[in-house]
């Protein structure tokens, strides 16, 4: 059977890695749906190379450019625009596999649509799990969707568990430590967006790069692991591992620990998701520990210099709407930081102030979570305005 893959966030970093792996297996799979946010020219370039059945631009103002560009290129690709079109295609026969790689809470609706439609769901959009993990996992389970995590750590855990989502005794997520590992809080006050997005080990989109620099990324990943593997927050540990070669470790009841290793390249995780239970080529070469320096170092994270990790584990423990508030406030703060409006330390400050302003409430419906998301963005914007440099 030819696998038909929808790539939501095709013009991003994960999207590029996914298209690279898919193109290595023309006899087994093809990109049937490509989705982008606003960059219509980049989407058109991808359509010319991959000739999907459908292309969607989320920003409807670009619909005509997309349609006319496809026509001018002589492609049979159907043009669509808007969020509803993304959700509809993610749930339709146009694909059997969905790569959820839109950044931020903007990816929740289409991720949920793919889960409800019972797709194989390669889930990179970690924010949707942080915002609505319980609901998303419940819907996926009910519809028989097969979730494969596309986050290197969670994909590593998935592999250590042999592809099942059974509950291990304990999980260790590794963190590179980001560009500012070892820095003091004082030194962090003056860092620039350019410094923050220059990740030492991974090449990623701007939002997750900033999250890696604050360690919020690891905090989001603790919440992500909690939902994916149904494991309490206390059984999830974070270790800084500067080489980024061991992606996660899983402890079992009998004292055995399994780890997954590999070069830091997301094509491995994507190949696992596209091929599972088969192993397929990804373009990533096998790990040669000696040429990588022959060392694997580990250290505890510095929670004083990087309070975002603690804010996230506290939000997980508080439960209810708290993770949704954390996520939304963080998205607003990171965006303001990238625009030069606030400093690096204003990111944890904004998240913390928003969590204080909006105490956790029960969250059994999507509505209540989306409400919390909205209110947190409002609280964060108010805080940002008081901090604003611009
Ligand atoms: P990116 O910024 O490079 O790409 C984001 C993609 O989402 C782009 O294609 C953009 O057009 C699209 N997009 C943005 N807003 C949209 C909207 N409102 N509607 C439709 N499309 C929209 O980001 P990335 O680094 O590829 O990350 C994507 C997701 O994968 C994030 O949730 C991130 O946390 C997760 N992730 C990424 C990596 C990585 O190595 N890059 C690793 C683990 C997890
Ligand atoms: Mg990760």
């Amino acid at each position: 059977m030819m696998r038909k893959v929808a790539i939501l966030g095709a013009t991003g970093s994960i999207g590029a890695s996914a298209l690279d792996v898919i193109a290595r297996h023309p006899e087994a799979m093809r990109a049937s749906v490509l989705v982008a946010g606003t960059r219509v020219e980049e989407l058109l370039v991808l359509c010319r190379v991959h000739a999907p059945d459908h292309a969607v631009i989320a920003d409807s103002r670009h619909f005509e450019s997309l349609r006319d560009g496809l026509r001018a290129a002589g492609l049979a690709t159907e043009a669509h625009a808007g969020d509803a079109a993304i959700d509809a295609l993610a749930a339709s026969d146009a694909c059997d596999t969905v790569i959820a790689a839109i950044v931020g809470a903007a990816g929740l609706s289409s991720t949920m649509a793919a889960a409800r439609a019972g797709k194989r769901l390669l889930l990179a959009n970690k924010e949707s799990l942080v915002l609505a993990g319980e609901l998303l996992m419940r819907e996926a389970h009910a519809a028989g969707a097969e979730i494969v995590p596309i986050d290197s750590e969670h994909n590593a855990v998935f592999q250590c568990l042999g592809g099942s989502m059974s509950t291990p005794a304990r999980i260790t997520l590794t963190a590179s430590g980001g560009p500012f590992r070892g820095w003091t809080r004082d030194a962090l006050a003056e860092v620039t967006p350019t410094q923050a997005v220059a990740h030492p080990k991974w090449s990623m989109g701007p939002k997750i790069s900033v999250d890696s620099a604050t360690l919020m990324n690891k905090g989001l990943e603790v919440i992500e692991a909690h939902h994916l593997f149904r494991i309490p927050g206390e059984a999830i540990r974070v270790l800084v591992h500067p080489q980024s070669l061991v992606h996660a470790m899983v402890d079992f009841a009998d004292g055995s620990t399994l780890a997954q290793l590999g070069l830091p390249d997301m094509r491995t995780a994507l190949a696992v998701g596209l091929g599972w239970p088969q192993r397929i080529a990804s373009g990533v070469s096998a790990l040669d520990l000696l040429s990588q320096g022959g060392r694997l170092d580990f250290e505890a994270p510095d929670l004083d210099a990087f309070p975002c990790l603690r804010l996230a584990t506290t939000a997980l423990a508080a439960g209810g709407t708290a993770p949704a508030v954390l996520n939304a406030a963080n998205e607003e703060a990171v965006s303001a930081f990238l625009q030069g409006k606030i400093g690096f330390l204003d990111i944890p400050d904004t998240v913390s102030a928003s969590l204080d302003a909006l105490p956790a409430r029960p969250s059994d419906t999507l509505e209540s979570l989306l409400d919390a998301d909205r209110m947190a963005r409002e609280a964060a914007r108010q805080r940002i305005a008081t901090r604003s440099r611009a």
Side-chain angles (χ1 to χ4, degrees), residues 155-168:
N155 191 268
V157 173
F158 174 90
Q159 293 184 57
C160 291
L161 295 174
S164 84
M165 295 296 209
S166 62
T167 308

Side-chain angles (χ1 to χ4, degrees), residues 9 11-14 37 58 101-102 106 124-127 151 204-205 208 266:
T11 52
S13 160
I14 290 286
I102 291 174
N125 176 234
K126 65 185 84 186
E127 294 91 350
D151 205 342
M204 309 180 288
I208 183 175
M266 288 309 292

Side-chain angles (χ1 to χ4, degrees), residues 75-122:
L75 290 163
T77 306
E78 212 177 299
H80 311 259
D83 296 337
I86 304 175
D87 295 1
L89 280 165
S92 76
D93 296 345
C95 59
D96 45 66
T97 301
V98 173
I99 302 183
I102 291 174
V103 58
L108 174 65
S109 175
S110 50
T111 301
M112 198 69 100
R116 284 192 181 125
K119 303 294 181 186
R120 175 173 290 201
L121 178 55
L122 276 62

Side-chain angles (χ1 to χ4, degrees), residues 71-299:
R71 211 176 278 161
L75 290 163
T77 306
E78 212 177 299
H80 311 259
D83 296 337
I86 304 175
D87 295 1
L89 280 165
S92 76
D93 296 345
C95 59
D96 45 66
T97 301
V98 173
I99 302 183
I102 291 174
V103 58
L108 174 65
S109 175
S110 50
T111 301
M112 198 69 100
R116 284 192 181 125
K119 303 294 181 186
R120 175 173 290 201
L121 178 55
L122 276 62
L123 183 46
N125 176 234
K126 65 185 84 186
E127 294 91 350
S128 63
L129 275 171
V130 173
L131 172 49
E134 242 153 76
L135 278 175
L136 180 58
M137 293 306 291
R138 200 190 302 154
E139 300 270 7
H141 187 75
E146 292 176 286
I147 294 186
V148 182
I150 305 296
D151 205 342
S152 54
E153 301 76 6
H154 309 73
N155 191 268
V157 173
F158 174 90
Q159 293 184 57
C160 291
L161 295 174
S164 84
M165 295 296 209
S166 62
T167 308
R170 187 171 74 162
I171 288 174
T172 302
L173 305 175
T174 60
S176 69
F180 309 129
R181 182 174 62 88
W183 288 39
T184 62
R185 205 178 145 76
D186 284 350
L188 289 172
E190 297 307 323
V191 308
T192 64
T194 312
Q195 286 174 298
V197 299
H199 197 276
K201 292 291 174 188
W202 296 92
S203 158
M204 309 180 288
K207 194 262 177 179
I208 183 175
S209 296
V210 174
D211 286 346
S212 299
T214 60
L215 287 200
M216 181 58 93
N217 183 50
K218 215 45 57 178
L220 300 178
E221 290 184 357
V222 169
I223 301 173
E224 183 186 7
H226 160 75
H227 291 298
L228 285 170
F229 305 109
R230 297 182 170 80
I231 181 168
E234 308 81 69
I236 305 166
R237 179 175 65 162
V238 171
L239 273 185
V240 173
H241 167 48
Q243 290 87 4
S244 294
L245 298 173
V246 176
H247 302 303
M249 294 175 247
V250 180
D251 300 342
F252 295 94
D254 54 10
S256 184
T257 296
L258 295 187
Q260 186 265 345
L261 288 80
L263 293 174
D265 187 321
M266 288 309 292
R267 290 178 301 174
T268 297
L270 286 155
V272 167
L274 289 165
W276 195 265
Q278 250 79 56
R279 293 284 184 169
I280 63 170
S282 68
V284 181
S285 36
L287 175 60
D288 176 354
L289 278 173
L290 287 184
S291 76
Q292 292 296 312
R295 294 181 59 109
L296 298 174
D297 296 307
F298 300 91
E299 63 196 44

Side-chain angles (χ1 to χ4, degrees), residues 325-334 336 342 346-347 349-355 357-358 372-388:
V325 169
L326 172 97
N327 179 66
N330 181 59
E331 285 189 26
E332 294 296 321
V334 169
I342 58 172
D346 292 326
I347 298 173
D349 171 88
T350 302
V351 174
S352 174
S354 305
L355 284 165
L358 300 165
D373 176 279
R374 269 191 296 273
M375 290 193 296
R377 284 175 202 275
E378 191 47 47
R381 285 190 202 120
Q382 279 173 19
R383 184 72 174 191
I384 287 163
T386 69
R387 301 268 141 168
S388 206

